[in-house]
Amino acid sequence: MASGTLLYAQSGGVTAVINASASAVITEARARKIKVLAARNGILGALREELIDTSKESAATIRALAHTPGGAFGSCRVKLKSLEADRAKYERLLAVLKAHDVRYFLYNGGNDSADTAWKVSQLAQAFDYPLTCIGVPKTVDNDLAVTDTCPGFGSAAKYTAVSVREAALDVAAMAETSTKVFVYEAMGRHAGWLAAAAGLAGQTRDDAPHLILFPERPYDEADFLAQVKKTVERVGWCVVVASEGIQYADGRFVADAGGGKDSFGHTQLGGVASYLAGRVKDQLGMKVHWTLPDYLQRSARHIASKTDWEQAQAVGKAAVQYALKGQNAVMPVIVRTSDAPFRWKIEAAPLSKVANHEKKFPPAFIRKDGYGITDKARTYLQPLIRGEAYPPYGTDGLPKYVALKNVAVKKKLPAWEG
């Protein structure tokens, strides 16, 4: 019989389905008679001993969590350094884990979160503390290594493809006397997965999006403007989808916002769509509209992919199962077994092979001219946005999302001064 407490935490930018993973974690742990605490605001909550008792939530509430977007327990962007550099934090974390008899630590996040989970597993080993650490995959960027895809991406990809198709119909209707060019900015710092997903909105070269700018290809302004001009001359209008992370040949971000770096050490990006729109207007004299969906891409639970929703729950359930089996320092990953029909399964992968590895958009998925996706990309992407997982709606016409009580457990240690 398994004993001890399970600590679950969310990290990094949330997704439309991260709470579906949380719901699955809590549901599976309850079925195994394991107590689940959740850290408020990720690893920060663990350090501050701000822990939430999930047993105070009803089964109905936990089920409803599966269709609620956001991060139910709060998230954070904090990356622990090495054991030597951040020793005081690690010792505090270990003290909190011991105080609450935590024997299982599940960290739900992306690349940097996998690294944190890996480091915590090394911490427990170094201090001979019985702790099983599991990384639970999540990111809209789809840049985690090993896994076929990452929960969160499919829903953001669906939102992107749907939004681009709908906006394109608007542009086409107005092009004769108004907007000639529309620029859509997609998330994606170093990997162009989400921008590529927009390519699903059309089938031919004359369908929107006409041009996709990938961070994997250097941005050439002269060529880009020439392509816009040719497209408008051929089609009558042009839809551009640009990844926020596109760079010049010298490595500078086109959208470097000048806001320094975040706590993960990432350059603050933003504004590539407005920049490109300005260049098109100034250089080509065309009327341009642009959009920056930003958080809308990752919070759009109302149009989530059923595939994504199911995979998010599958990795959450598997994470608990792996933890109780003592499979330390692993992550449940998605393995595609067939494209047609689309089939997949969950397997365990070592965190050491996931942490600090970034999966870029493959060259074989980018069209030869550099501005679109190939059939191989379409074969990979299309199943990930398939199916609808609509939330229930209320009489007010809005989705019925749930808010947790998030009752805190009593602290047992002195306040953390870190």
Side-chain angles (χ1 to χ4, degrees), residues 252-269:
R252 289 180 297 118
F253 285 108
V254 174
D256 188 335
K261 298 182 182 297
D262 64 20
S263 54
F264 279 163
H266 301 153
T267 299
Q268 292 286 336
L269 301 179

Side-chain angles (χ1 to χ4, degrees), residues 380-402:
Y380 167 81
L381 291 166
Q382 206 286 320
L384 304 182
I385 71 168
R386 193 175 294 159
E388 284 66 56
Y390 298 124
Y393 278 74
T395 56
D396 60 359
L398 296 173
K400 294 174 67 175
Y401 296 140
V402 69

Side-chain angles (χ1 to χ4, degrees), residues 1-202:
M1 183 74 176
S3 62
T5 298
L6 184 152
L7 178 62
Y8 169 82
Q10 298 173 327
S11 174
V14 298
T15 77
V17 297
I18 188 172
N19 284 337
S21 293
S23 175
V25 165
I26 297 169
T27 300
E28 183 67 12
R30 285 184 176 184
R32 306 297 187 95
K33 308 300 182 184
I34 296 296
K35 180 180 180 180
V36 179
L37 299 180
R40 189 184 299 276
N41 297 323
I43 200 70
L44 279 180
L47 290 168
R48 293 168 176 166
E49 201 186 359
E50 294 178 351
L51 308 179
I52 295 163
D53 185 354
T54 68
S55 70
K56 302 299 184 182
E57 308 293 345
S58 69
T61 295
I62 296 304
R63 285 195 299 271
L65 189 59
H67 65 249
T68 299
F73 307 107
S75 186
C76 71
R77 292 188 182 277
V78 174
K79 182 176 180 178
L80 296 182
K81 300 176 183 177
S82 66
L83 184 57
E84 294 74 22
D86 259 344
R87 190 173 187 84
K89 289 182 181 178
Y90 282 106
E91 290 180 346
R92 167 66 179 190
L93 179 60
L94 187 61
V96 173
L97 297 177
K98 286 182 177 179
H100 295 273
D101 192 30
V102 173
R103 301 301 178 88
Y104 315 101
F105 175 59
L106 274 57
Y107 208 27
N108 199 170
N111 203 311
D112 291 298
S113 307
D115 179 67
T116 296
W118 166 243
K119 286 173 178 173
V120 173
S121 74
Q122 293 178 308
L123 162 73
Q125 187 175 39
F127 284 86
D128 196 29
Y129 180 71
L131 181 72
T132 301
C133 296
I134 307 290
V136 185
K138 171 249 32 154
T139 176
V140 299
D141 293 328
N142 203 40
D143 58 355
L144 284 185
V146 185
T147 185
D148 174 71
T149 187
C150 191
F153 170 69
S155 294
K158 188 180 185 79
Y159 173 87
T160 299
V162 169
S163 297
V164 169
R165 175 172 285 189
E166 292 179 337
L169 293 172
D170 189 304
V171 178
M174 300 300 297
E176 178 67 23
T177 59
S178 184
T179 306
K180 294 290 187 185
V181 181
F182 177 68
V183 186
Y184 181 106
E185 180 172 332
M187 287 179 171
R189 182 175 300 278
H190 295 121
W193 294 98
L194 205 50
L200 297 175

